[in-house]
Amino acid sequence: MRLLLMLSFCSSIAVGSGLESYRRGDYPEAARQFQAAARAGDANAQYNVAMLLLNGEGVTRDDAVAVQWLRFAAESGSAPAQFALGRLCEIGRGVSRSLTEATHWFELAARQGHTEAQVNLATQYFLGRGAPHDMRRAARWYEQAAEGGDIGAQYIVATLYERGDGVPRDLAQAWHWYRAAALQGDPAAAIRARDLGQRIVDRAQ
């Protein structure tokens, strides 16, 4: 699994310098700048140090130390760090595999509006994996991700409304979400939106 470096709002001069070095491809200097800010308690820098360690960019790859930095950042409230830590817990990289702990971190990030975390959390409830099987919760988190623009979540939410699975059956809502996914280029969603739209029209006549 490759987790990309977060090019986020620069919360300190050192983080900003680190991002500039990273963009230039000077990974060792980026690592030095991020590490300085991370040791001072900057959550963005802690996350970025973890990403460098996971990817082996500018530093020797070290999954276990990366997890330590992610925990610092996640416990400080960084949604990207919470999501990344959830993914590592999910696959057991640098930490013992725990689907329950993965769900915990996904939920913290999801509640902050992190779209990928919302999708992953919804999937945990959808599959009953590291969380109770709960279609209502799954539908709620998929819909939040859909509202955030996630094309896969938009398609899933459309199917849930079409079947009435975890949400009341609502063909108009199903059409809305199929169309949203279609507008982002999903060809299957375009077909479903067209067919469902015709069904709605036929019923109205």
Side-chain angles (χ1 to χ4, degrees):
M1 177 185 67
R2 180 177 175 81
L3 296 169
L4 298 180
L5 189 78
M6 178 179 67
L7 302 181
S8 64
F9 173 76
C10 302
S11 56
S12 71
I13 294 174
V15 175
S17 298
L19 291 174
E20 288 301 319
S21 297
Y22 186 84
R23 292 188 182 103
R24 293 196 308 270
D26 188 350
Y27 300 144
E29 178 60 19
R32 189 184 71 78
Q33 295 283 355
F34 288 144
Q35 286 167 345
R39 286 191 292 269
D42 186 290
N44 281 346
Q46 290 166 350
Y47 173 86
N48 287 339
V49 168
M51 295 301 101
L52 292 177
L53 287 163
L54 288 170
N55 296 330
E57 293 177 320
V59 291
T60 302
R61 175 175 159 175
D62 191 325
D63 294 349
V65 176
V67 167
Q68 291 175 8
W69 282 116
L70 279 179
R71 285 195 185 277
F72 288 139
E75 289 168 0
S76 293
S78 166
Q82 290 164 349
F83 172 69
L85 187 53
R87 287 285 292 121
L88 295 179
C89 290
E90 184 179 31
I91 64 176
R93 178 176 168 185
V95 63
S96 298
R97 186 170 186 257
S98 171
L99 296 177
T100 301
E101 188 172 1
T103 299
H104 166 74
W105 291 114
F106 290 150
E107 182 152 8
L108 289 179
R111 290 186 181 280
Q112 295 194 69
H114 192 289
T115 303
E116 289 178 278
Q118 290 169 345
V119 172
N120 282 48
L121 179 61
T123 302
Q124 298 291 81
Y125 285 118
F126 184 88
L127 298 176
R129 183 182 65 182
H133 175 69
D134 189 327
M135 286 306 301
R136 291 180 64 184
R137 288 185 181 180
R140 178 164 62 87
W141 286 112
Y142 277 133
E143 190 156 11
Q144 288 201 30
E147 290 168 353
D150 186 276
I151 187 171
Q154 290 169 345
Y155 189 93
I156 292 170
V157 169
T159 65
L160 296 179
Y161 273 113
E162 186 174 9
R163 297 195 307 259
D165 195 356
V167 290
R169 189 166 187 261
D170 187 327
L171 296 185
Q173 279 292 310
W175 177 84
H176 166 79
W177 287 116
Y178 280 133
R179 184 171 179 274
L183 289 173
Q184 292 202 73
D186 186 324
I191 294 170
R192 294 298 304 141
R194 183 193 64 207
D195 293 347
L196 187 55
Q198 188 59 54
R199 283 169 55 193
I200 292 172
V201 170
D202 291 344
R203 286 188 177 191
Q205 291 176 345

